[in-house]
Protein backbone atom coordinates (compact mmCIF):
# COMPACT_ATOMS: atom_id res chain seq x y z
CA UNK A 1 0.00 0.00 0.00
CA UNK A 2 1.42 3.34 -1.06
CA UNK A 3 0.91 6.10 1.49
CA UNK A 4 1.26 9.80 0.86
CA UNK A 5 2.19 11.72 3.99
CA UNK A 6 1.08 15.34 3.95
CA UNK A 7 1.85 18.16 6.33
CA UNK A 8 1.93 21.92 6.56
CA UNK A 9 -1.65 23.15 6.60
CA UNK A 10 -3.02 25.63 9.10
CA UNK A 11 -4.53 29.02 9.69
CA UNK A 12 -2.93 32.10 8.15
CA UNK A 13 -3.94 35.70 7.63
CA UNK A 14 -4.56 37.10 4.14
CA UNK A 15 -1.27 37.92 2.47
CA UNK A 16 0.56 35.30 4.49
CA UNK A 17 2.40 32.16 3.44
CA UNK A 18 2.28 28.43 4.06
CA UNK A 19 4.26 25.50 2.73
CA UNK A 20 2.69 22.10 2.21
CA UNK A 21 4.74 18.95 1.86
CA UNK A 22 3.93 15.47 0.58
CA UNK A 23 6.31 12.55 1.04
CA UNK A 24 5.94 9.33 -0.93
CA UNK A 25 7.79 5.99 -1.03
CA UNK A 26 11.06 6.21 -2.91
CA UNK A 27 10.05 3.51 -5.38
CA UNK A 28 7.30 5.74 -6.75
CA UNK A 29 9.47 8.82 -7.13
CA UNK A 30 10.80 7.87 -10.53
CA UNK A 31 8.33 8.15 -13.40
CA UNK A 32 5.52 10.27 -12.02
CA UNK A 33 3.25 13.25 -12.05
CA UNK A 34 2.61 14.68 -8.63
CA UNK A 35 0.13 17.37 -7.87
CA UNK A 36 -1.82 19.35 -5.35
CA UNK A 37 -5.57 19.63 -5.54
CA UNK A 38 -7.99 21.47 -3.31
CA UNK A 39 -11.63 21.30 -2.39
CA UNK A 40 -13.54 24.10 -0.75
CA UNK A 41 -16.91 23.51 0.97
CA UNK A 42 -19.66 23.07 -1.59
CA UNK A 43 -17.24 23.06 -4.50
CA UNK A 44 -15.66 20.42 -6.69
CA UNK A 45 -12.07 19.34 -6.20
CA UNK A 46 -9.80 21.32 -8.48
CA UNK A 47 -6.23 21.00 -9.65
CA UNK A 48 -3.86 23.57 -8.17
CA UNK A 49 -0.41 22.59 -9.45
CA UNK A 50 1.44 19.61 -10.88
CA UNK A 51 5.05 18.59 -11.42
CA UNK A 52 6.67 15.74 -13.34
CA UNK A 53 9.91 13.85 -12.77
CA UNK A 54 11.41 16.16 -15.41
CA UNK A 55 10.41 19.19 -13.33
CA UNK A 56 7.77 20.29 -15.79
CA UNK A 57 5.20 22.30 -13.83
CA UNK A 58 1.67 23.47 -14.41
CA UNK A 59 -0.50 25.83 -12.38
CA UNK A 60 -4.12 26.82 -12.17
CA UNK A 61 -4.65 30.39 -13.35
CA UNK A 62 -5.94 31.36 -9.90
CA UNK A 63 -2.58 30.59 -8.25
CA UNK A 64 -0.05 31.53 -10.93
CA UNK A 65 2.58 33.87 -9.57
CA UNK A 66 1.64 33.09 -5.95
CA UNK A 67 2.17 29.33 -5.56
CA UNK A 68 5.27 27.31 -6.41
CA UNK A 69 5.44 23.54 -6.67
CA UNK A 70 8.81 21.81 -6.35
CA UNK A 71 10.23 18.33 -5.84
CA UNK A 72 13.25 17.16 -3.88
CA UNK A 73 14.37 13.77 -5.10
CA UNK A 74 16.68 13.18 -2.16
CA UNK A 75 13.74 12.87 0.24
CA UNK A 76 10.94 11.87 -2.13
CA UNK A 77 8.99 14.99 -1.26
CA UNK A 78 6.95 17.49 -3.19
CA UNK A 79 6.31 20.94 -1.78
CA UNK A 80 3.72 23.59 -2.45
CA UNK A 81 4.89 27.03 -1.38
CA UNK A 82 1.86 29.28 -1.09
CA UNK A 83 2.43 33.03 -0.88
CA UNK A 84 0.08 36.00 -0.93
CA UNK A 85 -2.69 33.79 0.33
CA UNK A 86 -6.27 34.92 -0.10
CA UNK A 87 -9.50 33.88 1.66
CA UNK A 88 -10.50 32.15 -1.60
CA UNK A 89 -7.56 29.79 -1.12
CA UNK A 90 -9.29 28.30 1.91
CA UNK A 91 -9.83 24.59 1.26
CA UNK A 92 -8.68 21.11 2.05
CA UNK A 93 -5.54 20.47 0.02
CA UNK A 94 -4.82 16.98 -1.27
CA UNK A 95 -1.61 15.54 -2.58
CA UNK A 96 -1.97 13.32 -5.62
CA UNK A 97 0.49 10.84 -7.12
CA UNK A 98 0.19 9.48 -10.63
CA UNK A 99 2.79 6.74 -10.57
CA UNK A 100 3.05 6.32 -14.30
CA UNK A 101 5.57 3.50 -14.14
CA UNK A 102 2.98 1.31 -12.42
CA UNK A 103 -0.18 2.79 -13.91
CA UNK A 104 -1.55 3.66 -10.48
CA UNK A 105 -2.77 6.79 -8.74
CA UNK A 106 -2.98 7.67 -5.05
CA UNK A 107 -4.36 10.45 -2.85
CA UNK A 108 -3.13 11.89 0.40
CA UNK A 109 -5.41 12.29 3.38
CA UNK A 110 -5.80 16.04 2.91
CA UNK A 111 -4.68 19.01 4.97
CA UNK A 112 -6.79 22.03 5.88
CA UNK A 113 -5.67 25.49 4.80
CA UNK A 114 -7.66 28.41 6.19
CA UNK A 115 -6.98 31.99 5.18
CA UNK A 116 -8.76 34.39 7.47
CA UNK A 117 -8.20 37.52 9.50
Amino acid sequence: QVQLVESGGGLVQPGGSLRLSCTVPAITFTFYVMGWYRQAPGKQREEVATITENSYTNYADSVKGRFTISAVNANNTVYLQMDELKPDDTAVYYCHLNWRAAGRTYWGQGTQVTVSS
Side-chain angles (χ1 to χ4, degrees):
Q1 182 70 15
V2 172
Q3 287 191 318
L4 280 59
V5 180
E6 301 176 14
S7 64
L11 172 65
V12 64
Q13 292 186 340
S17 298
L18 283 174
R19 189 177 76 160
L20 307 181
S21 64
C22 177
T23 301
V24 302
I27 192 172
T28 67
F29 215 64
T30 51
F31 190 46
Y32 65 83
V33 178
M34 288 202 68
W36 289 95
Y37 292 70
R38 67 187 181 186
Q39 188 166 18
K43 295 186 177 181
Q44 289 188 329
R45 190 172 298 189
E46 63 176 356
E47 181 181 295
V48 175
T50 59
I51 187 167
T52 70
E53 72 279 5
N54 297 318
S55 298
Y56 177 80
T57 59
N58 190 56
Y59 296 92
D61 288 342
S62 59
V63 306
K64 282 181 181 176
R66 300 188 298 120
F67 290 11
T68 303
I69 190 169
S70 61
V72 177
N73 293 334
N75 59 13
N76 318 319
T77 300
V78 171
Y79 300 94
L80 184 68
Q81 177 67 39
M82 304 185 292
D83 299 318
E84 301 177 30
L85 282 161
K86 305 175 181 179
D88 284 350
D89 295 318
T90 296
V92 177
Y93 283 70
Y94 297 90
C95 180
H96 179 260
L97 167 64
N98 177 358
W99 185 17
R100 296 191 289 179
R104 298 177 181 176
T105 61
Y106 304 91
W107 288 97
Q109 78 278 10
T111 184
Q112 177 70 47
V113 171
T114 303
V115 185
S116 175
S117 55

